[in-house]
Amino acid sequence: MTQTRINDFNEILTGRRSIRKYDPSVKISKEEMTEMLEKATLAPSSVNLQPWRFVVIDSEEGKETLKPLAMFNETQVETSSAVVAVFVDMQSLDYLEPIYNQAVEEGKMPADVRDYQVPAIRGLIEQLTERQYREMNLIDAGLVSMQLMLVAREYGYDTNPMGGYEKDKIADALGLDENRYYPVMLLSMGKAADDGHASVRLPVDEITEWK
């Protein structure tokens, strides 16, 4: 990796700020958002089930629906170019065969590996409790969410993850089956209207043990 690329990556990491007020005149096109989501979904997931699902809220109507569900984050909702609602699909196992079949078709996996892994994975997942399955999916959703935030920085946008919203109401409000789609977080996205505030981090030697 060249020094320029290292510097660019360091800026993406260290320059990130949690932004609460955006420039409302800046819009993100559907094409650009699609590109960012495609790059974000290159994140790893358990047995490649890719349980993450997204709802992009960028219309005035959509924001009006969202605002009463995110009362402590109304400014972010109102001024951002978009808010991405991240969910996990509690029926993601339905995609097991299509994902592995596509991997074989594209030459990324031998057929015999698929034929061995698919029934083994299905058997393993079906033994999990709902809580265990949800926790597994939430880890994967956290990975894709962080990757989306970094991709957005690469595209010149700022973000802020939000946990302050009505999690028990949001799926239904956005027209999703609340029994199937479990909410993870909201990500506001756009051009920052101010510089935000840098934050401190605990020293590595206080949070790390070496064995």
Side-chain angles (χ1 to χ4, degrees), residues 1-11:
M1 183 179 290
T2 66
Q3 189 61 48
T4 299
R5 292 183 64 188
I6 291 173
N7 291 341
D8 289 344
F9 185 64
N10 284 339
E11 196 284 326

Side-chain angles (χ1 to χ4, degrees), residues 99-144:
I99 290 171
Y100 279 69
N101 288 342
Q102 183 177 348
V104 172
E105 291 169 5
E106 295 183 6
K108 297 176 180 177
M109 176 183 290
D112 60 331
V113 173
R114 173 201 59 194
D115 295 343
Y116 170 78
Q117 288 193 351
V118 165
I121 291 169
R122 181 171 290 279
L124 174 65
I125 298 297
E126 288 178 344
Q127 291 180 34
L128 298 178
T129 65
E130 181 178 358
R131 178 178 177 179
Q132 289 172 325
Y133 190 36
R134 182 171 61 249
E135 289 178 350
M136 182 184 82
N137 287 339
L138 287 173
I139 291 172
D140 296 340
L143 291 170
V144 80

Side-chain angles (χ1 to χ4, degrees), residues 142-157:
L143 291 170
V144 80
S145 297
M146 187 71 250
Q147 185 137 316
L148 179 56
M149 294 170 70
L150 294 177
V151 170
R153 283 280 299 157
E154 179 190 17
Y155 275 68
Y157 297 112

Side-chain angles (χ1 to χ4, degrees), residues 19-37:
I19 300 300
R20 288 164 172 75
K21 187 175 182 180
Y22 299 88
D23 180 348
S25 69
V26 175
K27 306 300 180 185
I28 300 176
S29 69
K30 183 176 180 179
E31 291 73 22
E32 192 172 29
M33 181 65 77
T34 299
E35 286 183 12
M36 289 190 285
L37 289 171

Side-chain angles (χ1 to χ4, degrees), residues 85-102:
V86 184
F87 293 84
V88 292
D89 183 355
M90 293 300 290
Q91 295 180 21
S92 60
L93 190 59
D94 292 348
Y95 292 83
L96 177 63
E97 282 83 1
I99 290 171
Y100 279 69
N101 288 342
Q102 183 177 348

Side-chain angles (χ1 to χ4, degrees), residues 34-49:
T34 299
E35 286 183 12
M36 289 190 285
L37 289 171
E38 285 175 346
K39 289 184 178 182
T41 58
L42 296 175
S45 64
S46 303
V47 297
N48 199 28
L49 275 182

